[in-house]
């Protein structure tokens, strides 16, 4: 079973290397804790596709708002992937 | 050979778009007519006329706008770094000392700290203090990135906020000459972009000049698997009967891709696409083009004679930003002292670059015999102006070079040698032809940072999010 939280954190630290991702609060929106804009969310989605063949349609981008919501939204996709 | 995307032009916007697409495994091909990358901000070398050796020059690059300090976030340049996965240090930015807007009876200094400009305005235009504050607030809260904004006149908006004509002219001068395709005015969204990038964020220059930027882009493109073909001119964009672009003809060969990005300019793009899909719509070629003279001296101009980096010079009562009636307009100029990006270096040659507005049609009509003497005239004029600003400077002139609107046209193929492109922009990059998108100058973001951001955002929007 993939560690979805770690997968997302790894992607964030690659696309925003200057951000400190060690003390993220899983229930608080990522945008509030990090300097991420819509371009960065596109990159998270693109990296999920590239590295893990997981597709996130545009209308579901809001489901990536917090680490918690990322895990609950993405985990089923990793199971079937 | 089949590609996922074809990009026409290996300037700043084309390279940036290519990197974004390649990064996410799109098979991308960039076709460039010239033998080297860079486009309007490329490079060249010249052998000296008397003293030996080859000197390297940048085309343009007075200033990299949008300066940020390391670690600053949420700014255009930090977005660019993240999107292209560069680290701040790779650009080796050398910040400016300060720059100034110099009019006959007034001077306004600005630097990479906005407070300098604010205090200059307060001191020299005390009656405009509150009005200027309101203008700044209006600018800072304006969403210039909203691609659906209609066109608004900056001059009108400035007049609503400020009363002093001179202050309006002075504030408008650098944004106009650093980025307006329109004469004497600019779209307010564009003004806001320029205000922030010039006055609020400021100027720097990468050590090594434009080559540093181009090398970074070319290496990254290679790393993500993008392909570039030089000396490859695109002569036609192929459009099927459904009105969709599906390939290009380059050097007599057809190359196919489901999406085409063109950075060569909007009118230039329409010219090589099947006209019938534009149903009479033809974006207008802009009127603004420039001349630049470069002087190399045997020593640097001492800081005590001039410590500014760029001077936006105007010697007339009014500032005219328009195609001049004559070959060039000697009353205003942008004078760049690139040595003052590294004011601690006192050894070595000194360089000054000077830009004038020029009239393309007149230059175009010159005969071969008249052309060189006319360039000489420009160069003499420019050298006089340099001497006027630093009369005590005794440096010996080692080398000079001047490029004209015809030079720009010859090496970048922009119609009429335009630098800021068409007066008609397509903010979302779309054209009447499906799957054909405009990036760079005529999408509306320009300058080095602007055109890269244009390439990035158009590749994101049309190539990645709505991947066909
Ligand atoms: C003298 C001068 C000084 C400047 N100074 C500054 C400055 O100090 N700071 C700043 O930020 N900006 C400056 N600029 C502006 C900046 O250079 C441009 O805004 C920016 O480089 C535009 O990039 P682009 O990708 O939109 O277009 P371009 O650079 O024009 O790229 C288009 C490319 O397409 C190629 N091409 C054209 N036709 C074809 C064809 N048919 N087939 C294949 N390829 C083709 C061209 O060769 C070119 O490489 C300056 C420009 C000039 C000319």
């Amino acid at each position: 079973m993939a560690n979805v939280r770690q997968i997302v954190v790894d992607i964030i630290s690659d696309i925003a290397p200057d951000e400190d991702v060690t003390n993220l609060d899983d229930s608080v929106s990522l945008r509030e804790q990090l300097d991420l804009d819509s371009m960065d969310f596109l990159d998270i989605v693109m990296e999920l596709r590239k590295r893990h063949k997981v597709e996130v349609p545009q209308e579901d981008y809001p489901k990536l708002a917090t680490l918690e919501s990322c895990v609950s939204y993405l985990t089923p996709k990793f199971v079937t992937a | 050979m089949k590609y996922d995307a074809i990009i026409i032009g290996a300037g700043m916007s084309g390279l940036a778009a290519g990197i974004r697409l390649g990064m996410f495994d799109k098979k991308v091909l960039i076709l460039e007519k010239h033998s080297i990358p860079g486009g309007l901000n490329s490079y060249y070398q010249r052998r000296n006329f008397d003293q030996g050796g080859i000197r390297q020059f940048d085309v343009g690059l007075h200033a990299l706008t949008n300066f940020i300090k390391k670690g600053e976030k949420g700014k255009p340049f930090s977005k660019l770094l993240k999107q292209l996965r560069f680290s701040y240090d790779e650009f080796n930015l050398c910040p400016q000392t300060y720059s100034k807007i110099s009019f006959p009876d007034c001077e306004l200094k600005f630097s990479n700290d906005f407070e300098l400009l604010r205090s200059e305005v307060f001191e020299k235009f005390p009656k405009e203090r509150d009005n200027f504050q309101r203008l700044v607030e209006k600018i800072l809260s304006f969403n210039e990135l909203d691609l659906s904004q209609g066109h608004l006149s900056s001059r009108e908006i400035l007049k609503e906020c400020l009363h002093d004509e001179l202050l309006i002219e002075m504030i408008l001068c650098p944004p106009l000459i650093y980025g307006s395709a329109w004469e004497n005015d600019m779209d307010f969204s564009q003004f806001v972009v320029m205000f922030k990038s010039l006055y609020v964020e400021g100027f720097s220059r990468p050590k090594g000049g434009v080559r540093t930027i181009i090398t970074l882009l070319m290496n990254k493109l290679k790393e993500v698997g993008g392909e570039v073909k030089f000396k490859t001119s695109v002569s036609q964009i192929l459009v099927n009967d459904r009105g969709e672009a599906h390939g290009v003809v380059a050097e007599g060969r057809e190359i196919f891709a489901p999406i085409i990005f063109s950075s060569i300019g909007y009118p230039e793009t329409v010219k090589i696409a099947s006209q019938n899909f534009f149903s009479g719509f033809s974006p207008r070629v802009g009127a603004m083009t420039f001349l630049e003279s470069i002087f190399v001296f045997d020593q640097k101009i001492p800081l005590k004679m001039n410590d500014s980096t760029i001077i936006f010079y105007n010697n007339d009562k009014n500032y005219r930003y328009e195609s001049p009636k004559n070959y060039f307009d000697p009353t205003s100029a942008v004078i760049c002292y690139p040595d003052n990006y590294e004011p601690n270096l006192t050894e070595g040659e000194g360089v000054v670059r000077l830009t004038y507005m020029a009239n393309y049609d007149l230059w175009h009509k010159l005969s071969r015999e008249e052309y060189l003497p006319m360039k000489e005239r420009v160069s003499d004029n420019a050298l006089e102006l340099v001497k006027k600003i630093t009369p005590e400077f005794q440096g010996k002139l080692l080398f000079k070079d001047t490029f004209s609107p015809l030079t720009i046209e010859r090496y970048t193929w922009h119609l009429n040698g335009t630098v800021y492109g068409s007066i008609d922009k397509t903010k979302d990059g779309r054209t009447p032809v499906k799957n054909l998108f405009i990036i760079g100058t005529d999408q509306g973001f320009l300058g080095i940072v602007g055109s890269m951001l244009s390439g990035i955002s158009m590749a994101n929007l049309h190539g990645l999010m709505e991947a066909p």
Side-chain angles (χ1 to χ4, degrees):
Chain A
M1 171 77 192
N3 182 345
V4 176
R5 184 187 187 279
Q6 195 55 45
I7 284 171
V8 175
V9 170
D10 285 347
I11 289 176
I12 293 173
S13 67
D14 285 343
I15 63 176
D18 294 337
E19 296 288 340
D20 178 10
V21 292
T22 47
N23 287 314
L24 291 174
D25 184 332
D26 288 20
S27 60
V28 177
S29 106
L30 288 163
R31 273 190 197 231
E32 263 171 56
Q33 304 177 76
L34 303 167
D35 175 40
L36 295 181
D37 58 21
S38 55
M39 282 177 157
D40 299 317
F41 276 89
L42 171 65
D43 275 33
I44 296 175
V45 171
M46 297 302 299
E47 290 293 348
L48 283 167
R49 178 194 291 172
K50 181 171 159 180
R51 298 181 192 184
H52 306 285
K53 310 266 175 294
V54 163
E55 296 284 342
V56 180
Q58 216 173 310
E59 58 274 17
D60 288 349
Y61 286 14
K63 299 195 171 137
L64 306 178
T66 67
L67 277 177
E68 226 162 53
S69 67
C70 280
V71 171
S72 58
Y73 172 72
L74 292 171
T75 302
K77 291 181 180 271
F78 274 93
V79 173
T80 55
Chain B
M1 188 51 147
K2 218 167 151 45
Y3 290 90
D4 294 323
I6 289 172
I7 298 171
I8 312 174
M12 299 290 167
S13 65
L15 293 173
I19 291 171
R20 284 298 295 171
L21 297 171
M23 198 178 271
F24 298 109
D25 298 336
K26 302 271 179 205
K27 203 166 163 39
V28 47
L29 174 66
I30 306 184
L31 299 169
E32 168 58 54
K33 194 164 177 168
H34 202 9
S35 53
I36 51 170
L40 284 164
N41 257 164
S42 190
Y43 50 85
Y44 63 101
Q45 57 184 33
R46 282 280 182 276
R47 209 174 283 277
N48 204 359
F49 52 71
D50 54 353
Q51 316 220 339
I54 289 173
R55 286 195 182 79
Q56 309 290 336
F57 294 100
D58 289 353
V59 180
L61 185 56
H62 287 185
L64 189 69
T65 58
N66 302 87
F67 177 75
I68 56 168
K69 293 203 192 78
K70 188 171 180 168
E72 252 182 277
K73 292 171 184 173
K75 296 285 170 55
F77 196 73
S78 58
K79 286 177 203 268
L80 186 152
L81 292 177
K82 269 197 294 182
Q83 286 280 297
L84 299 181
R85 313 262 167 99
F86 287 124
S87 78
Y88 180 87
D89 294 330
E90 285 177 279
F91 279 80
N92 241 311
L93 298 182
C94 307
Q96 66 170 336
T97 47
Y98 69 92
S99 292
K100 61 187 178 189
I101 310 162
S102 174
F103 276 45
D105 301 311
C106 188
E107 217 170 72
L108 286 175
K109 291 184 182 154
F110 65 96
S111 68
N112 295 352
D113 176 0
F114 184 64
E115 294 316 310
L116 176 61
L117 180 63
R118 207 195 295 267
S119 66
E120 288 271 297
V121 172
F122 288 177
E123 184 191 322
K124 286 159 189 172
F125 297 90
K127 288 194 187 130
E128 292 280 47
R129 191 186 173 105
D130 294 343
N131 295 339
F132 184 72
Q133 292 285 62
R134 267 195 297 276
L135 173 68
V136 172
E137 267 159 45
K138 189 181 177 95
I139 288 169
L140 296 182
S141 60
F142 187 85
N143 181 8
E144 71 278 16
L145 300 179
D146 178 354
L147 300 179
S148 62
Q149 291 278 6
H151 287 305
L152 300 164
S153 154
S154 302
R155 204 172 272 281
E156 291 304 314
I157 294 177
L158 284 172
K159 275 188 191 150
E160 281 164 22
C161 299
L162 304 172
H163 301 307
D164 197 309
E165 285 287 338
L166 178 61
L167 178 59
I168 296 176
E169 294 295 328
M170 291 182 83
I171 294 289
L172 266 173
C173 164
L176 284 174
I177 198 157
Y178 266 18
S180 181
W182 301 3
E183 296 180 272
N184 288 314
D185 201 355
M186 71 200 298
D187 178 29
F188 189 65
S189 298
Q190 177 65 9
F191 175 78
V192 171
V193 169
M194 298 305 288
F195 191 96
K196 292 179 182 171
S197 61
L198 308 184
Y199 297 140
V200 180
E201 290 154 22
F203 300 153
S204 71
R205 179 180 183 272
K207 221 183 177 69
V210 81
R211 283 175 176 77
T212 302
I213 303 175
I214 293 173
T215 305
L216 282 170
L217 293 172
M218 288 296 290
N219 288 346
K220 185 68 78 172
L221 184 74
K222 205 167 150 199
E223 199 182 292
V224 301
E227 203 181 315
V228 198
K229 283 199 166 80
F230 293 104
K231 297 186 185 167
T232 308
S233 170
V234 174
S235 55
Q236 198 191 334
I237 293 167
L238 297 168
V239 183
N240 64 21
D241 356 318
R242 290 188 301 279
E244 300 157 345
H246 64 108
V248 299
V249 179
E251 304 298 322
R253 228 159 45 94
E254 291 187 337
I255 312 175
F256 298 99
I259 181 166
I260 316 286
F261 293 95
S262 172
S263 71
I264 67 177
Y266 203 172
E268 292 84 347
T269 302
V270 171
K271 234 179 127 180
I272 58 168
S274 312
Q275 305 284 320
N276 32 345
F277 292 103
F278 290 88
S279 42
F281 169 67
S282 65
R284 293 161 293 173
V285 178
M288 292 313 297
T289 184
F290 306 94
L291 280 156
E292 181 151 287
S293 287
I294 303 167
F295 301 105
V296 179
F297 298 98
D298 66 345
Q299 55 190 275
K300 296 192 191 301
I301 298 178
L303 288 169
K304 62 178 191 299
M305 293 182 195
N306 170 55
D307 59 352
S308 64
T309 306
I310 297 178
I311 303 177
F312 296 87
Y313 174 86
N314 172 41
N315 189 27
D316 207 341
K317 261 205 337 278
N318 299 307
Y319 178 66
R320 283 179 308 276
Y321 180 74
E322 61 194 27
S323 181
K325 307 262 175 308
N326 214 319
Y327 290 87
F328 68 105
D329 182 351
T331 60
S332 73
V334 182
I335 310 156
C336 174
Y337 299 88
D339 295 329
N340 289 349
Y341 284 111
E342 294 172 272
N344 301 327
L345 299 180
T346 51
E347 294 295 309
E349 296 179 342
V351 178
V352 183
R353 321 182 57 115
L354 196 147
T355 310
Y356 286 125
M357 291 173 230
N359 179 314
Y360 171 81
D361 289 329
L362 293 177
W363 282 88
H364 186 65
K365 285 186 196 124
L366 285 174
S367 68
R368 280 180 81 95
E369 297 73 50
E370 295 164 324
Y371 180 66
L372 287 180
M374 188 57 75
K375 284 216 304 191
E376 231 6 70
R377 219 181 95 193
V378 171
S379 178
D380 291 348
N381 229 287
L383 193 59
E384 277 310 304
L385 184 49
V386 171
K387 284 187 182 150
K388 191 175 151 189
I389 292 169
T390 50
E392 325 84 276
F393 180 56
Q394 295 295 334
K396 179 172 166 244
L397 183 66
L398 296 180
F399 179 83
K400 59 181 178 175
D401 190 29
T402 294
F403 61 84
S404 77
L406 303 185
T407 323
I408 299 175
E409 186 179 51
R410 185 156 144 223
Y411 289 105
T412 69
W413 296 275
H414 283 291
L415 294 171
N416 297 7
T418 49
V419 172
Y420 301 136
S422 172
I423 43 185
D424 300 308
K425 306 292 185 196
T426 156
K427 289 190 178 181
D428 61 7
R430 291 197 169 85
T431 69
V433 173
K434 279 186 224 117
N435 306 336
L436 170 63
F437 301 100
I438 301 293
I439 59 173
T441 309
D442 281 346
Q443 178 268 320
F445 295 163
L446 41 76
I448 300 170
V449 174
S451 51
M452 283 195 264
L453 283 171
S454 168
I456 291 168
S457 53
M458 292 299 108
N460 286 352
L461 184 61
H462 304 297
L464 298 175
M465 286 168 80
E466 297 170 12

